[in-house]
């Protein structure tokens, strides 16, 4: 079988953003997963997928010397392994992997774009990130934005030729395992235990956020909107699932103060299985500033949880306003609060949206669709 090397900056991306996909592809190709060995997790993640792994240290920050060392390590690996495809994910793995693959004369160099962090950057940092992004695309033979909106942004920014760009299926990097993310997988007794654990009463309305607890996910706006709404409605809760990244994009001091003081905001940290928490929630609140194709929104919809989401690429491709959720302007606390209040005051509409949410995912974003389409692309490159 031909060899494909898949590269991510951090091993967690294999386990979360691409879960199951590399194992599926290993039925058709020799797959080697390359990533940092953060926390010694790379080997165990490879064992879960049933594929070999190789560690190359990379960072998510701008670290020129370490980045050059990573690029050289990847170059040596590619020269030795001679893959016919190198496929990268995440910005740092993208620039290091695509440059190394081009230098090593790998014939097919694919890079998946699952979001553009540079969109929230300014000044010299933005200029530098623009250059890096263009370089990544220049070294690639195919660029795979994971949403149609993201594809258009790349075209508008003139980062690469339109002919290089392709969206897999209807969008998403990995699709959704609709059997796993199914409301029927969580029993009533499980739900009841969680409600008791967190003091959620039968008449409480539960909002939930799933993702990194950082500024550009709209967390400051969410905390402010909820805190204000909570003064008017006492029977509401907000579950926050995800880890803080204080070293990269910290939330404001005001938000941290509210988190300490408001007992109706329940911080749960990172959770490997978010389904039980979605199952006790009424609405996902996802006021992100930028996305590629948000897994949290896909997962919530699959669990029949409607979403309040920002009017940005990815989110507005999954959520249709007042059909399976509500679309709001990004960075707009007032609109977010109003949408949350609308959900509180219109339970029948929320129920209607929840019933339509899952159909959207099963029809358009099932994992089978995404995996088979990507496999088909790989097959065409063999010719």
């Amino acid at each position: 079988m031909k060899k494909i090397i898949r590269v991510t900056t951090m091993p967690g991306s294999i386990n979360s953003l691409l879960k199951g996909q590399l194992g599926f592809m290993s039925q058709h190709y020799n797959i080697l997963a390359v990533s940092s060995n953060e926390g010694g997790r790379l080997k165990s993640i490879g064992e879960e997928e049933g594929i070999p792994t190789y560690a190359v240290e990379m960072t998510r920050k701008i670290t020129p010397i370490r980045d050059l060392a990573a690029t050289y390590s990847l170059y040596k690996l590619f020269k030795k392994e001679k893959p016919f495809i190198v496929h990268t994910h995440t910005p740092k793995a993208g620039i290091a992997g695509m440059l190394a693959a081009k230098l090593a004369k790998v014939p097919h160099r694919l890079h998946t774009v699952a979001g553009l962090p540079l969109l929230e950057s300014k000044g010299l940092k933005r200029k530098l990130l623009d250059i890096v992004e263009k370089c990544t695309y220049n070294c690639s033979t195919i660029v795979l934005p994971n949403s149609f909106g993201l594809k258009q942004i790349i075209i508008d920014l003139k980062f690469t030729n339109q002919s290089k760009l392709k969206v897999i299926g209807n969008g998403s990097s990995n699709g959704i395992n609709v059997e796993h993310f199914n409301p029927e997988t969580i029993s009533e007794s499980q739900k009841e235990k969680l409600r008791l654990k967190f003091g959620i009463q039968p008449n409480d309305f539960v909002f939930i956020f799933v993702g990194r607890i950082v500024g550009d996910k709209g967390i400051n706006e969410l905390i402010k909107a909820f805190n204000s709404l909570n003064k008017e409605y006492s029977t509401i809760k907000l579950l926050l699932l995800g880890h803080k990244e204080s070293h990269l994009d910290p939330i404001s001091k005001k938000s941290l103060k509210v988190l300490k003081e408001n007992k109706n905001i329940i911080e749960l940290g990172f959770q490997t299985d978010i389904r039980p928490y979605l199952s006790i929630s009424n609405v996902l609140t996802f006021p992100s500033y930028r996305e590629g194709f948000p897994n949290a929104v896909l997962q919530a919809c699959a669990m029949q949880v409607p979403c309040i989401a920002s009017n940005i690429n990815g989110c507005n491709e999954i959520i249709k306003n007042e059909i399976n959720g509500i679309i709001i302007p990004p960075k707009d606390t007032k609109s977010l609060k109003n949408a949350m209040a609308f959900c509180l005051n219109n339970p029948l509409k929320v129920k209607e949206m929840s019933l339509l949410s899952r159909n959207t995912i099963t029809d358009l974003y099932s994992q089978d669709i995404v995996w088979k389409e990507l496999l088909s692309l790989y097959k065409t490159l063999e010719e």
Side-chain angles (χ1 to χ4, degrees), residues 323-339:
I323 302 297
N324 58 347
I326 298 174
I327 292 291
I328 59 167
K331 307 180 184 181
D332 189 332
T333 304
K334 184 178 179 181
S335 294
L336 174 57
K337 180 184 173 183
N338 288 342

Side-chain angles (χ1 to χ4, degrees), residues 263-310:
K263 302 306 179 186
N264 288 320
I265 303 177
I266 303 167
E267 291 187 86
L268 298 166
F270 175 78
Q271 298 292 328
T272 54
D273 188 358
I274 66 172
R275 294 173 302 164
Y277 305 95
L278 287 169
S279 73
I280 61 168
S281 302
N282 299 96
V283 171
L284 176 80
T285 45
F286 198 75
S288 182
Y289 297 174
R290 60 168 185 85
E291 289 295 324
F293 210 79
N295 280 328
V297 174
L298 292 171
Q299 292 161 353
C301 285
M303 292 291 291
Q304 290 189 336
V305 179
C307 305
I308 298 171
S310 300

Side-chain angles (χ1 to χ4, degrees), residues 5 7 32 34 54-58 66-83 86 88 93 95-106 109:
I5 297 181
V7 190
L32 174 62
V34 177
Y54 185 87
V56 171
E57 291 311 311
M58 289 176 273
R66 294 175 70 179
D67 298 343
L68 284 171
T71 303
Y72 182 62
S73 296
L74 289 168
Y75 167 77
K76 289 195 298 181
L77 176 68
F78 299 158
K79 289 292 284 185
K80 177 187 175 186
E81 297 290 337
K82 295 180 172 56
V86 167
T88 60
I95 182 58
M98 290 294 94
L99 179 56
K102 186 170 185 178
L103 292 172
K105 295 183 171 56
V106 176
R109 306 177 297 276

Side-chain angles (χ1 to χ4, degrees), residues 151-325:
K151 177 183 177 181
Q152 189 57 51
I153 290 171
I154 292 168
I155 292 168
D156 293 343
L157 291 172
K158 299 179 180 178
F159 280 168
T160 191
N161 296 327
Q162 189 169 343
S163 59
K164 265 192 183 184
L165 299 169
K166 178 178 175 56
V167 177
I168 298 296
N170 300 296
S172 175
S173 300
N174 199 40
I176 286 292
N177 183 337
V178 293
E179 294 179 4
H180 181 74
F181 285 97
N182 184 333
E184 294 179 4
T185 59
I186 308 300
S187 68
E188 288 301 322
S189 63
Q190 285 178 280
K191 295 178 193 177
E192 189 57 33
K193 284 179 183 177
L194 274 182
R195 291 189 186 104
L196 285 171
K197 181 177 180 180
F198 300 120
I200 297 171
Q201 302 302 314
N203 63 332
D204 282 349
F205 194 100
V206 181
F207 296 100
I208 186 171
F209 170 86
V210 179
R212 293 176 296 117
I213 310 299
V214 295
D216 70 7
K217 290 289 186 183
I219 293 295
N220 294 314
E221 289 84 355
L222 175 56
I223 290 172
K224 185 176 180 181
F226 178 86
N227 199 47
S228 176
L229 195 66
N230 199 188
K231 293 171 183 175
E232 303 169 33
Y233 299 87
S234 59
T235 57
I236 61 173
K237 296 281 193 295
L238 173 61
L239 307 181
L240 295 179
L241 271 70
H243 54 79
K244 294 188 179 79
E245 291 187 347
S246 302
H247 59 300
L248 290 173
D249 184 15
I251 61 175
S252 70
K253 290 181 180 179
K254 283 185 178 179
S255 294
L256 290 171
K257 186 172 184 288
V258 173
L259 287 179
K260 287 183 180 178
E261 294 174 352
N262 191 329
K263 302 306 179 186
N264 288 320
I265 303 177
I266 303 167
E267 291 187 86
L268 298 166
F270 175 78
Q271 298 292 328
T272 54
D273 188 358
I274 66 172
R275 294 173 302 164
Y277 305 95
L278 287 169
S279 73
I280 61 168
S281 302
N282 299 96
V283 171
L284 176 80
T285 45
F286 198 75
S288 182
Y289 297 174
R290 60 168 185 85
E291 289 295 324
F293 210 79
N295 280 328
V297 174
L298 292 171
Q299 292 161 353
C301 285
M303 292 291 291
Q304 290 189 336
V305 179
C307 305
I308 298 171
S310 300
N311 189 16
I312 56 173
N313 64 280
C315 290
N316 57 19
E317 293 171 50
I318 305 165
I319 301 301
K320 304 304 175 189
N321 196 44
E322 295 194 25
I323 302 297
N324 58 347

